[in-house]
């Protein structure tokens, strides 16, 4: 029995979605979340490599826009689950990112003054 490239692509896509659901469940249940995240990332990387090389000309049902939206939703749920389990770390990261953005905005406005009359004002 010969398995076609199309069947390989469909099998890999199904494996990706199954591992995404298993990862989300393990993140919320917390049995071994990091193992599940690494497996999901590994399968996702292999999936992207195959979709960009061998499978770029193969059209399956998983190439529909609905599955691209599903990818985004699953990633969002996974990020929420990780943030929920590590709230203190998430608050620290989000506060740090906000502080960096504020600093970059201030520096950008400082160096981007076009009006020479307003050099003394911010």
């Amino acid at each position: 029995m010969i398995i076609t490239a199309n069947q390989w692509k469909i099998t890999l896509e199904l494996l990706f979605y199954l591992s995404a659901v298993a990862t989300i469940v393990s993140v919320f249940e917390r049995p071994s979340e990091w193992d599940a995240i690494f497996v999901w990332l590994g399968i996702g990387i292999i999936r992207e490599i195959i979709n960009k090389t061998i499978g770029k000309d193969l059209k399956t049902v998983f190439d529909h826009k609905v599955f691209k939206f599903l990818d985004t939703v699953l990633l969002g749920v996974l990020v929420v689950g990780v943030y929920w389990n590590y709230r203190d770390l998430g608050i620290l990261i989000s506060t740090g990112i906000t502080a960096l953005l504020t600093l970059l905005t201030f520096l950008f406005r400082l160096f981007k003054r076009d009006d020479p009359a307003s050099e003394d004002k911010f």
Side-chain angles (χ1 to χ4, degrees), residues 13-76:
E13 294 281 351
L14 287 172
L15 185 62
F16 172 78
Y17 287 112
L18 285 174
S19 66
V21 171
T23 302
I24 289 169
V25 167
S26 20
V27 162
F28 280 104
E29 295 287 322
R30 298 192 75 171
S32 61
E33 64 233 18
W34 289 109
D35 296 340
I37 288 172
F38 289 137
V39 167
W40 181 69
L41 284 175
I43 292 174
I45 290 169
I46 292 170
R47 170 189 180 225
E48 282 304 311
I49 290 171
I50 287 178
N51 283 343
K52 300 288 186 221
T53 56
I54 301 168
K56 68 180 177 184
D57 297 329
L58 301 174
K59 295 294 178 198
T60 63
V61 68
F62 293 105
D63 293 319
H64 197 271
K65 292 178 185 176
V66 173
F67 286 99
K68 304 300 178 199
F69 177 71
L70 182 61
D71 286 355
T72 308
V73 169
L74 289 174
L75 186 61

Side-chain angles (χ1 to χ4, degrees), residues 105-116:
T105 304
F106 171 74
L107 291 175
F108 179 74
R109 287 185 180 168
L110 180 67
F111 293 116
K112 179 106 170 99
R113 289 179 289 174
D114 294 330
D115 187 14

